[in-house]
Amino acid sequence: MRIVVMVSGSGTNLQAVLDAVREDRIDVEIAAVGADKPCTGLERAQAAGVETFLVRPGDHPDRAQWNRALQRAVEDHAPDRVLFAGFMRIVDAGFVEAFAGRIVNTHPSLLPSFPGAHAVRDALAHGVKVTGVTVHEVVADVDAGPILAQAAVPVLTDDDEDRLHERIKAAERELLVDTLGALARRSALHDAW
């Protein structure tokens, strides 16, 4: 399964996928890694010998033109799937439609609970005893796509936002690799027919 990975930050999810590919734990080819800004995630990809690209919103006159430029950059690599691995931009409906049913994202909660940018803080504020991580397909509405996999993470009595988020990220990396592996196996079975 050929993927393009989109990042915005440190690239720890990307690194988990790079490691899984290098160790032959998943049958995935990372065609390219793209970003919306210079970041450590791009550096991780370059260090692994993976092609990178950068599509900055500020280099385009408006959001729509940025989305089309990003779409073209991703399409240039002909991915079977697009992985948003800590990609902190909301893409428009046109981008989603171009890759309909093929964009995978992670989210630090058990969706549909706590969608949006502050999921960990929101979970703590609501006093939940269990939260977690979701791997889901991206649709035009934020954090509303079909759920592919979830993993629970207990909320401990002494948790603050940072401690809880670090435990969620550890679960996220493992769940993401497992989910990509399952998608790759399903894709291979489909191709065999």
Side-chain angles (χ1 to χ4, degrees):
M1 183 174 71
R2 185 177 167 88
I3 66 172
V4 168
V5 183
M6 297 301 305
V7 296
S8 291
S10 66
T12 56
N13 282 340
L14 168 64
Q15 189 64 57
V17 175
L18 287 166
D19 292 346
V21 168
R22 187 186 73 250
E23 296 162 4
D24 289 325
R25 288 187 284 133
I26 57 174
D27 189 14
V28 169
E29 174 194 354
I30 303 174
V33 174
D36 59 323
K37 61 184 180 179
C39 61
T40 307
L42 286 179
E43 294 169 11
R44 288 177 189 267
Q46 291 161 351
V50 176
E51 184 177 340
T52 62
F53 62 90
L54 183 61
V55 184
R56 292 183 183 123
D59 292 344
H60 302 277
D62 58 36
R63 186 172 182 260
Q65 290 185 47
W66 172 76
N67 273 274
R68 298 297 68 75
L70 183 65
Q71 180 180 328
R72 286 189 300 275
V74 172
E75 286 171 339
D76 285 348
H77 298 283
D80 298 310
R81 296 266 181 178
V82 179
L83 171 61
F84 288 176
F87 186 57
M88 300 306 292
R89 294 281 175 178
I90 296 173
V91 294
D92 69 8
F95 185 98
V96 172
E97 182 60 32
F99 304 101
R102 298 186 296 144
I103 307 172
V104 176
N105 187 37
T106 62
H107 183 75
S109 78
L110 296 173
L111 290 173
S113 297
F114 313 117
H118 305 291
V120 178
R121 181 183 342 158
D122 293 346
L124 285 170
H126 279 81
V128 298
K129 300 301 178 197
V130 176
T131 187
V133 60
T134 301
V135 179
H136 65 97
E137 287 182 13
V138 173
V139 296
D141 294 326
V142 175
D143 297 329
I147 293 169
L148 300 173
Q150 291 183 309
V153 175
V155 179
L156 306 178
T157 55
D158 62 341
D159 269 340
D160 61 17
E161 188 174 347
D162 290 336
R163 262 193 306 272
L164 178 57
H165 204 177
E166 285 307 311
R167 285 203 326 284
I168 290 171
K169 286 187 213 176
E172 178 180 45
R173 291 187 288 271
E174 185 175 327
L175 185 66
L176 176 59
V177 167
D178 289 348
T179 304
L180 285 175
L183 289 171
R185 287 188 298 279
R186 189 177 326 153
S187 178
L189 284 173
H190 181 267
D191 290 348
W193 287 96

